């Protein structure tokens, strides 16, 4: 487990380690009551919560006052999820079987209860300014949304949704519109205003697997919907109608699309570096290096035929994310697992395809500029920007398989995570002349 903020937090079984972002020096070491299963920073990075779901306990630690700590015990109600409220002074605990959500205040020690939370993938959503919370509920075999004011947890609005089995909710970054989408068995997305009015309903097709992923653009102008038919549909914020759709074919034929193909290259070893190199450097010197070549179209991408009679088939748009400047959209089509597609949102056209040697595990945009970091389960991190792309070998000892990554909010460093270890990659800023 690892989380980034002004400091870095990681845990090893029941120990929580806080490190300085720049030096990786240990700042604090905390011992919890049991094995930690989840950690999360408060919004101001002054507190960190550690959830021990098996024991139904949450422990909170303070960075400013190391002697201060808080223990929340849900008792026989159990615990399946825990998170901070946006103000960083309340903790929301979801009990077993989703019977209720308990809101604990660190300031007043008061407790509030919210009944009937729905057990779904994305059932709680906060507005970006932290003023409101939307909660998906299920009662009497129907779906509902409750909107709460986060300052005092008073109910603002409560309304039913026209969904068969609500799957997820997400606020637009401006906090004006709430997107609600249905189970993958039915293609339906509903858009509600802050006062509970239904603004629009969008259905692309019927009688087939529907929505798989969604993403708001940072400006709230566009809503991208990835679906099982291997397409992304872009809705606009004025009429909530589709303005375009992006297809993900197995063959790239457009000569204006740049296709970067990762290829292996033999490592070139310097004789000087061979004289007693450090062990970590030695392992990276002799590991397989890679680079990118620009392929000439047409290019056939590796296509994996999904197994039709299994649940959750590997087909359709499983990952999509807008760049911070709203200019690009990155997507992954799950049945072409080795490719990342980057779309130009200003021109509404495919801009670049990155074809990797291994399947894409994760990608994330730099929070400060249009730069995409990608990992594929090996010991390399890949970076793309409009200027080009690069493959970087991580100089770690042993077999370091990067399964996920996380940018620091400054954009100066990115954490690379494997099953057992993490490593921080620091990027040099280009000086503006």
């Amino acid at each position: 487990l690892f989380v980034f903020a002004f400091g870095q937090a990681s845990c090893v079984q029941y120990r929580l380690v806080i490190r300085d972002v720049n030096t990786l020096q240990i700042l604090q070491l905390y011992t919890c009551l049991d094995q930690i299963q989840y950690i999360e920073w408060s919004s101001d990075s002054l507190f960190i919560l550690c959830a021990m779901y098996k024991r139904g306990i949450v422990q909170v630690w303070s960075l400013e006052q190391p002697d201060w700590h808080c223990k929340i015990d849900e008792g026989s109600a159990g615990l399946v999820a825990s998170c901070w409220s946006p103000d960083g002074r309340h903790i929301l605990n979801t009990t077993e079987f989703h019977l209720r959500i308990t809101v604990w205040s660190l300031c007043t020690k008061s407790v509030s209860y919210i009944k009937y939370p729905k057990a779904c993938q994305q059932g709680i959503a906060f507005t970006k300014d932290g003023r409101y919370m939307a909660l998906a509920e299920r009662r009497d075999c129907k779906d509902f949304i409750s909107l709460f004011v986060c300052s005092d947890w008073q109910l603002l609005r409560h309304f039913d949704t026209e969904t068969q089995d609500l799957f997820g909710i997400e606020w637009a970054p401006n906090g004006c519109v709430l997107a609600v989408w249905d189970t993958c068995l039915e293609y339906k997305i509903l858009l509600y205003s802050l006062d509970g009015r239904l603004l629009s309903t969008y259905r692309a097709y019927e009688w087939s697997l529907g929505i798989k992923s969604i993403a708001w653009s940072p400006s709230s102008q566009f809503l991208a919907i990835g679906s099982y038919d291997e397409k992304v549909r872009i809705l606009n914020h004025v009429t909530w109608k589709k303005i375009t759709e992006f297809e993900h074919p197995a063959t790239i034929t457009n000569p204006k699309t740049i296709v970067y193909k990762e290829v292996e290259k033999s490592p070139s070893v310097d004789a000087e570096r061979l004289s007693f190199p450090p062990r970590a450097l030695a392992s990276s010197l002799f590991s397989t290096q890679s680079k990118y070549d620009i392929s000439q179209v047409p290019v056939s991408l590796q296509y994996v035929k999904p197994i039709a009679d299994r649940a959750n088939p590997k087909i359709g748009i499983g990952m999509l994310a807008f760049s911070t400047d709203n200019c690009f959209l990155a997507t992954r089509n799950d049945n072409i697992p080795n490719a990342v597609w980057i779309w130009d949102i200003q021109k509404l056209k495919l801009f670049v395809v990155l074809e990797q040697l291994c399947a894409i595990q994760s990608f994330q945009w730099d929070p400060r500029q249009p730069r995409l970091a990608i990992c594929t389960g090996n010991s390399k991190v890949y970076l793309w920007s409009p200027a080009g792309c690069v493959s970087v070998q991580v100089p770690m000892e042993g077999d370091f398989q990067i399964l996920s990554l996380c940018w620091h909010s400054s954009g100066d460093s990115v954490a690379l995570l494997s099953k057992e270890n993490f490593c921080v990659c620091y990027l040099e800023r280009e000086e503006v002349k």
Side-chain angles (χ1 to χ4, degrees):
L1 292 175
F2 177 95
V3 283
F4 238 155
F6 294 110
Q8 293 170 345
S10 59
C11 63
V12 182
Q13 293 186 334
Y14 56 87
R15 291 198 171 180
L16 175 70
V17 185
I18 310 293
R19 297 175 187 268
D20 182 271
V21 170
N22 298 313
T23 64
L24 294 187
Q25 283 187 326
I26 294 177
L27 301 176
Q28 295 291 345
L29 195 62
Y30 300 107
T31 303
C32 291
L33 295 168
D34 205 338
Q35 186 167 339
I36 304 164
Q37 291 168 281
Y38 178 72
I39 54 177
E40 185 181 326
W41 286 101
S42 63
S43 54
D44 55 8
S45 301
L46 295 179
F47 298 94
I48 187 162
L49 72 78
C50 303
M52 289 143 275
Y53 296 140
K54 288 178 185 174
R55 285 187 56 171
I57 291 173
V58 172
Q59 284 186 274
V60 187
W61 306 96
S62 166
L63 263 70
E64 284 190 327
Q65 299 169 277
D67 296 334
W68 181 95
H69 68 277
C70 163
K71 175 188 163 192
I72 298 169
D73 192 341
E74 290 290 348
S76 59
L79 182 68
V80 294
S82 184
C83 69
W84 286 102
S85 68
D87 68 356
R89 298 298 178 268
H90 293 82
I91 291 172
L92 284 75
N93 285 344
T94 306
T95 61
E96 279 191 335
F97 310 111
H98 284 72
L99 295 176
R100 71 181 186 215
I101 289 176
T102 315
V103 183
W104 301 84
S105 170
L106 297 187
C107 300
T108 64
K109 298 184 182 178
S110 62
V111 183
S112 306
Y113 298 101
I114 303 171
K115 286 184 175 181
Y116 312 115
K118 176 160 187 176
C120 60
Q121 190 183 44
Q122 209 168 318
I124 298 178
F126 295 98
T127 54
K128 198 174 180 181
D129 61 10
R131 293 176 65 189
Y132 304 106
M133 179 186 84
L135 176 70
E137 298 178 358
R138 184 80 173 178
R139 58 176 89 174
D140 303 324
C141 300
K142 287 187 71 179
D143 292 324
F144 295 87
I145 297 288
S146 285
L147 302 181
F148 294 90
V149 181
C150 291
S151 57
D152 55 8
W153 303 104
Q154 292 298 309
L155 182 65
L156 181 70
R157 288 283 185 277
H158 176 76
F159 52 91
D160 62 339
T161 60
E162 297 171 21
T163 49
Q164 292 210 355
D165 185 10
L166 186 151
F167 190 76
I169 58 176
E170 190 169 327
W171 287 103
N174 63 11
C176 294
V177 179
L178 180 70
V180 177
W181 62 100
D182 216 331
T183 169
C184 65
L185 299 176
E186 184 168 351
Y187 195 118
K188 184 191 271 190
I189 189 159
L190 305 117
L191 298 152
Y192 291 93
S193 64
L194 195 54
D195 59 4
R197 284 180 299 118
L198 178 61
L199 300 173
S200 184
T201 302
Y202 179 73
R203 302 178 78 156
Y205 52 81
E206 292 184 276
W207 316 117
S208 188
L209 289 176
I211 296 170
K212 192 166 190 180
S213 55
I214 81 151
W216 285 99
S217 68
S219 64
S220 305
Q221 291 175 295
F222 302 111
L223 177 61
I225 307 167
S227 47
Y228 282 89
D229 68 347
E230 303 176 49
K231 294 179 184 178
V232 174
R233 293 166 176 85
I234 307 288
L235 307 188
N236 74 82
H237 74 298
V238 180
T239 62
W240 301 114
K241 297 284 191 292
K242 182 184 77 175
I243 54 171
T244 191
E245 64 182 32
F246 297 145
E247 297 186 12
H248 295 69
T251 304
I252 309 296
T253 55
N254 189 340
K256 291 184 179 178
T257 301
I258 304 166
V259 181
Y260 290 106
K261 184 180 177 69
E262 184 192 6
V263 293
E264 289 184 351
K265 65 173 184 178
S266 331
S268 56
V269 181
D270 231 342
E272 290 179 11
R273 297 177 80 191
L274 274 179
S275 52
F276 306 108
R279 286 170 67 188
L281 177 60
S283 65
S284 67
L285 278 175
F286 294 104
S287 56
T288 308
Q289 306 287 314
S290 72
K291 63 174 184 174
Y292 282 107
D293 283 348
I294 296 178
S295 300
Q296 298 298 314
V297 293
V299 176
S300 293
L301 304 171
Q302 186 182 342
Y303 185 92
V304 178
K305 192 173 181 182
I307 302 166
D309 58 352
R310 281 200 191 163
N312 303 312
K314 290 194 173 181
I315 184 171
I317 312 304
M319 294 168 64
L320 70 170
F322 282 95
S323 61
T324 319
D325 62 357
N326 297 285
C327 291
F328 300 101
L329 174 69
T331 62
R332 185 194 71 186
N333 185 9
D334 289 351
N335 44 309
I336 307 179
N338 293 20
V340 177
W341 311 65
I342 298 171
W343 307 83
D344 186 326
I345 294 301
Q346 292 172 323
K347 296 178 181 175
L348 297 176
K349 287 181 181 175
L350 182 59
F351 185 46
V352 166
V353 176
L354 304 179
E355 188 183 6
Q356 306 294 136
L357 290 169
C358 304
I360 310 299
Q361 298 293 322
S362 177
F363 58 68
Q364 193 177 27
W365 288 101
D366 182 329
R368 298 284 177 176
Q369 58 177 294
R371 178 168 57 183
L372 187 69
I374 304 160
C375 64
T376 63
N378 56 21
S379 59
K380 302 177 187 70
V381 61
Y382 307 91
L383 296 167
W384 175 87
S385 76
C389 54
V390 65
S391 163
V392 182
Q393 177 70 40
V394 178
M396 283 283 283
E397 191 178 330
D399 188 23
F400 183 64
Q401 297 179 337
I402 306 167
L403 301 176
S404 61
L405 43 81
C406 174
W407 283 96
H408 188 266
S409 56
S410 66
D412 291 340
S413 56
V414 58
L416 312 173
L417 286 79
S418 73
K419 267 188 177 179
E420 302 288 330
N421 304 300
F422 77 87
C423 151
V424 181
C425 169
Y426 297 95
L427 293 99
E428 292 182 3
R429 280 180 177 256
E430 291 182 20
E431 291 185 13
V432 181
K433 296 181 180 179

